């Protein structure tokens, strides 16, 4: 129950930031290329930050303190963005925010998985609470934006909710443990892990484009409103529920590569719909495929790392996953996506994302075909 409360609190905050922050930047006068650049800068800054804080958490006698320090710092940086009126200051604060904030999820996941392992409980139901909280938060804030039109409050609301997550993080446990000498880059010697990370990188890059440009793409279509955008975010979060209920069983049957293959295929279809949509309702319907997107890859890979990485390096392992899923992937998705959006329009960017997903499936066909073959033999 304690892990579920933390997951709910964290995703209450993350929903507002992830779903609406691009509207905050748009309200500050940033164009498509600049929004892509600010997200790319934050993602690039996250790469050293995640590895640094993951290693610090693994070495710390009380890793929960690292998590709470990151949440407090992230909230403060968001509040500073609300006070800034200078574009260069916004870019600098966004980079600092990326450096600190993206360490929160992998450390929180590592602590949650560690507690669930001790209690012999599955991860899916706990993560499901996060999905439900994400859905409720995104929907409620969408109604608020539609009623008030105050896009400038996105950062302040996210910061306030991060403080709620900070309070909930005490529930994950804070027992002392022996210090360990962790070297995160040693994880790259695991060839299977490296192949899987390379497999998921293209799909996760397209998710970077989605998070940066979905809100603005949605709002430019006929029939769009802040309330409908909130419903779109609600549909996306609700679509995660079936996967999360079955995630542990699917992982045992398909392993991480098989789940990643299904996810990449679903994302390719989703981006085709986003590119070809002529009204906001088609784009809303495409959100039903979200349940086989980021959540499927991130949960299956988190379970894979829990199984394959030594217990003393769990935070570093989850951080390495986040470096690929958020850092490298988002740099590519946001920077190149911003240029694509400026050159071909936001719809053209989504079309390019669909092509990238289908190309990744073709390139890594032997890897995920092997996963499916192994899953079938295990079920016989």
């Amino acid at each position: 129950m304690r892990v579920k409360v933390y997951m709910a609190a964290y995703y209450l905050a993350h929903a507002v930031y992830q779903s609406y922050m691009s509207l905050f930047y748009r309200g500050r006068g940033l164009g498509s290329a600049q929004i892509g650049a600010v997200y790319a800068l934050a993602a690039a800054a996250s790469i050293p930050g995640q590895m640094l804080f993951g290693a610090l958490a693994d070495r710390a006698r009380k890793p929960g303190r690292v998590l709470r320090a990151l949440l407090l710092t992230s909230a403060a940086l968001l509040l500073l963005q609300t006070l800034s009126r200078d574009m260069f200051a916004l870019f600098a604060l966004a980079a600092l925010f990326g450096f600190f904030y993206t360490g929160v999820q992998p450390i929180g996941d590592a602590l949650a998985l560690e507690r669930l392992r001790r209690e012999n409980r599955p991860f899916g139901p706990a993560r499901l609470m996060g999905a439900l909280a994400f859905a409720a938060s995104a929907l409620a804030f969408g109604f608020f934006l539609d009623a008030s039109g105050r896009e400038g409050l996105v950062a302040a609301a996210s910061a306030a909710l991060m403080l709620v997550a900070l309070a909930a993080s005490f529930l994950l446990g804070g027992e002392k443990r022996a210090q360990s000498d962790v070297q995160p880059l040693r994880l790259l010697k695991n060839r299977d892990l490296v192949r899987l990370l390379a497999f998921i990188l293209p799909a996760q890059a397209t998710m970077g484009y989605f998070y940066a440009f979905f809100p603005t793409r949605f709002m430019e279509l006929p029939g769009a409103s802040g309330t409908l955008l909130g419903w779109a975010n609600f549909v996306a979060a609700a679509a995660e529920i079936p996967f999360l209920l079955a995630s542990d069983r699917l992982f045992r049957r398909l392993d991480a590569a098989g789940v990643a293959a299904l996810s990449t295929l679903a994302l390719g279809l989703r981006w085709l719909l986003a590119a070809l949509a002529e009204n906001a309702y088609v784009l809303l319907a495409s959100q039903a495929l979200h349940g086989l997107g980021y959540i499927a890859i991130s949960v299956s890979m988190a379970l894979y790392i829990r199984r394959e990485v030594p217990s003393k390096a769990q935070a570093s392992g989850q951080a390495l996953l986040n470096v690929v899923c958020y850092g490298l992937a988002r740099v590519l998705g946001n920077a190149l996506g911003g240029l694509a959006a400026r050159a071909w329009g936001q719809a053209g960017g989504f079309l390019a994302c669909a092509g990238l997903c289908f190309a990744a499936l073709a390139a890594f066909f032997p890897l995920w075909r092997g996963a499916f073959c192994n899953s079938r033999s295990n079920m016989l």
Side-chain angles (χ1 to χ4, degrees), residues 11-348:
Y11 282 100
L12 281 174
H14 192 61
V16 176
Y17 169 77
Q18 181 173 279
S19 302
Y20 300 105
M21 197 64 183
S22 62
L23 298 181
F24 171 85
Y25 291 128
R26 187 185 68 174
R28 293 303 172 89
L30 274 60
S32 293
Q34 291 171 322
I35 291 174
V38 76
Y39 274 95
L41 184 61
S46 77
I47 296 173
Q50 289 178 94
M51 298 309 296
L52 170 64
F53 295 121
L56 285 176
D58 281 326
R59 293 170 180 170
R61 292 180 64 83
K62 289 189 175 182
R65 290 180 175 176
V66 178
L67 176 63
R68 288 186 281 277
L70 293 179
L71 282 166
L72 181 61
T73 305
S74 300
L77 289 167
L78 279 178
L79 290 175
L80 288 174
Q81 289 193 54
T82 67
L83 302 175
S84 176
R85 295 295 182 270
D86 181 78
M87 185 180 69
F88 294 104
L90 278 178
F91 271 68
L93 289 169
L96 286 172
F97 178 81
F99 181 78
F100 288 98
Y101 177 66
T102 49
V104 171
Q105 182 178 335
I107 296 174
D109 283 355
L111 293 175
L113 285 163
E114 182 180 343
R115 187 177 188 92
L116 291 170
R117 179 186 57 79
R118 293 197 306 267
E119 298 174 355
N120 195 28
R121 295 177 181 271
F123 183 51
R127 182 60 180 79
L128 174 60
M129 290 301 297
L132 294 174
F134 188 106
S137 181
L139 180 60
F141 201 78
F143 280 113
F144 169 78
L145 279 182
D146 208 31
S148 68
R150 302 181 67 179
E151 296 174 347
L153 290 180
V154 173
S158 299
L161 290 170
M162 283 177 192
L163 296 180
V164 175
L166 188 156
S169 69
F170 285 93
L171 298 174
L172 292 178
E175 67 276 359
K176 293 183 179 180
R177 66 183 187 183
Q179 292 177 297
S180 60
D181 183 18
V182 177
Q183 296 183 5
L185 293 181
R186 285 187 177 178
L187 297 174
L188 296 177
K189 293 183 178 180
N190 185 326
R191 293 183 178 180
D192 289 337
L193 175 59
V194 171
R195 280 196 291 266
L196 276 170
L197 291 174
F199 184 14
I200 67 177
L201 179 61
Q204 293 299 83
T206 67
M207 290 300 299
Y209 182 85
F210 163 77
Y211 288 127
F213 293 105
F214 179 80
T216 51
R217 164 70 173 150
F218 189 93
M219 296 299 287
E220 73 181 11
L221 290 173
S225 67
T227 299
L228 199 62
L229 178 57
W231 278 111
N233 290 318
F234 176 85
V235 169
E240 295 179 347
I241 295 174
F243 173 80
L244 289 170
L245 290 174
S247 58
D248 292 271
R249 293 192 298 273
L250 282 174
F251 176 75
R252 288 193 295 268
R253 290 189 175 188
L254 302 180
D255 212 76
V259 175
L262 286 175
S263 176
T264 304
L265 178 60
L267 286 175
L269 297 173
R270 184 184 180 189
W271 305 148
L272 274 179
L273 287 174
L276 301 176
E278 296 183 353
N279 62 69
Y281 292 95
V282 174
L283 210 54
L284 184 150
S286 73
Q287 293 287 79
L289 291 169
H290 188 79
L292 284 175
Y294 172 79
I295 188 66
I297 293 177
S298 61
V299 169
S300 62
M301 286 300 298
L303 293 172
Y304 179 85
I305 286 172
R306 182 179 67 174
R307 186 185 70 192
E308 299 294 329
V309 173
S311 59
K312 67 180 182 180
Q314 281 292 307
S316 294
Q318 300 297 339
L320 178 61
L321 171 62
N322 233 35
V323 163
V324 174
C325 288
Y326 181 88
L328 294 174
R330 301 292 172 87
V331 169
L332 293 172
N334 294 326
L336 298 180
L339 295 175
R342 185 170 64 179
W344 307 320
Q346 294 181 21

